[in-house]
Amino acid sequence: MERSFISYLLLLLCIFTFSDAGSIGVNYGRIADNIPSAVKVVQLLKSQGLERVKVFDADPTVLRALSGSGIKVTVDLPNELLYSAAKTQSFAFSWVQRNVASYYPSTQIEAIAVGNEVFVDPHNTTKLLIPAMKNIHQALVKLNLHSAIKVSSPIALSALQSSYPSSAGAFRSELVEPVFKPMLDFLRETGSFLMVNAYPFFAYESNSDVISLDYALFRENPGVVDSGNGLRYFSLFDAQIDAVFAALSALKYDDIKMVVTETGWPSKGDENEIGASVENAAAYNGNLVRRILTGGGTPLRPKADLTVYLFALFNEDEKNGPTSERNYGLFYPNEQKVYDIPFTVEGLKNYTDRRSPVSGGQKVNPPVNGGVSKSTTGNTWCVGNPEAGKEKLQAALDYACGEGGADCRPIQPGATCYDPNTVVAHASFAFNSYYQKKGREIGTCYFGGAAYIVTQAPKYGKCEFPTGY
């Protein structure tokens, strides 16, 4: 790829995405006997520029240590307390009073996670979830904290009945009426958001023969076209998140926002845990941080700037399960980084994804089923995304017609493609001209999330979009 083209891409990223970016947090698990004290952990978080943390309980030592730190906190009501919180309003009230109100606002608690991945809990606590969430929220109302502190519950991707292609995303049918609809109604009524735990590692580990490692690690790849909506995905993470957005849309809850409460990649695993390595963990988390902090949303929801919590702060040596379970940490117990990645926009300025010579030449194998483009040089066109908004579209249009070198003569007043005289129509023509002139190179139809690729020729009045120059 030409160096000048790479410069154009970097310029576009800076112009169109840094102003509207997401947020990075970290999960602070403590199933270990060797991690630093809570006071030292808070110092570590501040030194790394991490401004959000999620804990899996409401430990007083941790909440006191976070007091006055300015770090926003999500606490958790553990699954084992769901029964009591669901059955007794007085229990929910005393829990909130003791574990939340006692520390707020000096400890900036911003959310309560009621349970964690309840639908896969072997103790069958699903039917308790909605009553527990409502009782916890009612306690916040009584304490006049409901405007500042939101209530939600993290779901695993296994709550989806289908997730591929992303446009076919749907929640498990047996959960829709008894759980999802009432939960989503609750989130809408209280101004809260859906919490989602997403791990591309699990999908890659199980399907490494058909899923490209570069696709899983946010590296350059041909992308995968969604056969349902024509959008092209360049990362498995975006595809997974859009599957959840599609599931929300299918139930008419397009207005519900999402927070990714867990995602990560293990730096070590058992022999059968394909892809678990320090290099891959560094690439996934480092490239994810860059992806989130440079904004742009997902292909389906380009305005959905995400808050994402990395899993996890430390390697936790007392966790059960395969080796990977004890090796998701960003830091060793001695506070040294397992691998060097940034967590802030400032840190990204000097960040590069350091792939080894071996992985650098790895062949890209896109998934074999479901609307995959086998070639990046077929009949594809680049069009403007109306959801990106007029300002972003106009800025990208100006770039394409100016420095980008697109042929914009047909969209001038009186020319063949001037009508319809709308920003999205003019941007689509300019984006496609740029895309075709660049030989449909990977990444040339992005424009900070303002454009996407389609596989059918666009039509705007009598205007014809070229397929090559």
Side-chain angles (χ1 to χ4, degrees):
M1 192 180 295
E2 296 177 350
R3 181 169 297 181
S4 60
F5 172 60
I6 294 173
S7 299
Y8 286 149
L9 281 183
L10 292 174
L11 176 64
L12 284 173
L13 283 172
C14 292
I15 292 173
F16 301 128
T17 60
F18 268 86
S19 58
D20 298 310
S23 172
I24 292 292
V26 66
N27 284 272
Y28 172 20
R30 304 190 318 282
I31 305 177
D33 60 4
N34 56 0
I35 58 178
S37 68
V39 172
K40 287 187 174 181
V41 168
V42 172
Q43 292 171 347
L44 176 64
L45 293 172
K46 292 179 72 174
S47 73
Q48 298 298 319
L50 286 161
E51 298 177 345
R52 278 190 160 90
V53 67
K54 178 174 164 287
V55 293
F56 293 90
D57 51 23
D59 186 271
T61 306
V62 173
L63 295 180
R64 280 196 297 267
L66 285 161
S67 177
S69 66
I71 296 171
K72 293 180 173 64
V73 186
T74 295
V75 298
D76 182 75
L77 176 93
N79 287 359
E80 54 265 28
L81 297 182
L82 281 176
Y83 180 86
S84 298
K87 297 297 183 182
T88 313
Q89 174 64 57
S90 60
F91 175 87
F93 181 81
S94 63
W95 188 90
V96 171
Q97 193 171 42
R98 185 174 63 254
N99 297 290
V100 178
S102 296
Y103 302 98
Y104 185 86
S106 57
T107 299
Q108 292 187 20
I109 299 171
E110 63 174 346
I112 300 172
V114 177
N116 185 56
E117 299 187 352
V118 170
F119 307 145
V120 295
D121 186 340
H123 297 99
N124 193 26
T125 53
T126 297
K127 64 180 182 293
L128 303 170
L129 179 60
I130 306 305
M133 291 175 72
K134 290 183 175 179
N135 282 347
I136 291 294
H137 176 72
Q138 192 56 41
L140 290 171
V141 171
K142 288 182 179 179
L143 293 162
N144 198 29
L145 296 174
H146 58 291
S147 296
I149 301 173
K150 301 304 178 185
V151 175
S152 188
S153 182
I155 65 167
L157 285 184
S158 58
L160 296 181
Q161 185 163 297
S162 59
S163 60
Y164 184 83
S166 298
S167 58
F171 294 117
R172 282 161 46 190
S173 56
E174 74 274 15
L175 294 173
V176 169
E177 293 298 333
V179 185
F180 271 109
K181 283 189 175 180
M183 180 168 75
L184 295 171
D185 284 336
F186 169 83
L187 298 179
R188 176 181 282 164
E189 291 164 7
T190 60
S192 189
F193 44 81
L194 182 65
M195 294 177 168
V196 177
N197 296 344
Y199 286 90
F201 168 72
F202 295 144
Y204 174 76
E205 175 198 23
S206 303
N207 302 279
S208 60
D209 55 333
V210 292
I211 295 180
S212 157
L213 182 60
D214 287 341
Y215 183 63
L217 299 180
F218 301 91
R219 285 171 169 165
E220 186 177 333
N221 63 89
V224 177
V225 174
D226 186 309
S227 57
N229 58 23
L231 298 178
R232 186 181 291 270
Y233 286 84
F234 293 98
S235 77
L236 183 53
F237 174 86
D238 277 0
Q240 289 185 339
I241 298 306
D242 270 358
V244 183
F245 276 133
L248 289 170
S249 184
L251 297 180
K252 311 300 182 188
Y253 290 93
D254 297 89
D255 55 317
I256 301 297
K257 295 183 178 180
M258 189 191 310
V259 167
V260 180
T261 35
E262 287 184 31
T263 190
W265 196 285
S267 60
K268 187 178 180 181
D270 295 321
E271 189 174 338
N272 64 336
E273 294 187 284
I274 299 169
S277 71
V278 169
E279 182 189 340
N280 290 345
Y284 178 80
N285 284 317
N287 291 333
L288 171 65
V289 169
R290 177 165 54 196
R291 156 76 180 79
I292 296 303
L293 293 186
T294 55
T298 65
L300 189 61
R301 296 280 182 90
K303 292 183 180 179
D305 295 314
L306 295 170
T307 293
V308 173
Y309 289 81
L310 303 178
F311 187 88
L313 190 57
F314 296 108
N315 284 333
E316 298 172 71
D317 66 342
E318 293 188 330
K319 294 190 78 169
N320 297 320
T323 298
S324 62
E325 283 294 311
R326 294 174 290 283
N327 289 278
Y328 274 90
L330 301 165
F331 293 87
Y332 294 111
N334 65 1
E335 301 182 42
Q336 295 299 307
K337 284 186 175 183
V338 177
Y339 39 83
D340 190 20
I341 63 167
F343 304 107
T344 64
V345 172
E346 185 66 27
L348 281 173
K349 292 178 180 177
N350 299 315
Y351 172 71
T352 55
D353 173 6
R354 295 183 178 88
R355 66 165 76 200
S356 73
V358 175
S359 67
Q362 184 169 346
K363 181 183 177 183
V364 173
N365 297 310
V368 293
N369 58 340
V372 176
S373 173
K374 298 295 184 183
S375 169
T376 58
T377 57
N379 285 335
T380 55
W381 295 262
C382 182
V383 297
N385 189 341
E387 292 189 21
K390 286 186 178 180
E391 288 186 8
K392 185 174 280 189
L393 282 167
Q394 186 63 56
L397 170 60
D398 293 343
Y399 170 81
C401 291
E403 189 176 351
D407 181 8
C408 295
R409 290 172 296 178
I411 57 175
Q412 301 307 307
T416 55
C417 292
Y418 179 71
D419 291 320
N421 181 20
T422 64
V423 174
V424 67
H426 287 182
S428 294
F429 188 89
F431 294 169
N432 184 65
S433 173
Y434 178 89
Y435 174 65
Q436 303 296 340
K437 280 177 175 286
K438 294 293 182 181
R440 295 186 282 271
E441 282 267 14
I442 297 166
T444 56
C445 181
Y446 180 59
F447 293 95
Y452 59 87
I453 292 169
V454 295
T455 54
Q456 292 185 344
K459 277 195 173 182
Y460 286 97
K462 297 180 180 179
C463 181
E464 293 186 6
F465 281 49
T467 56
Y469 287 90

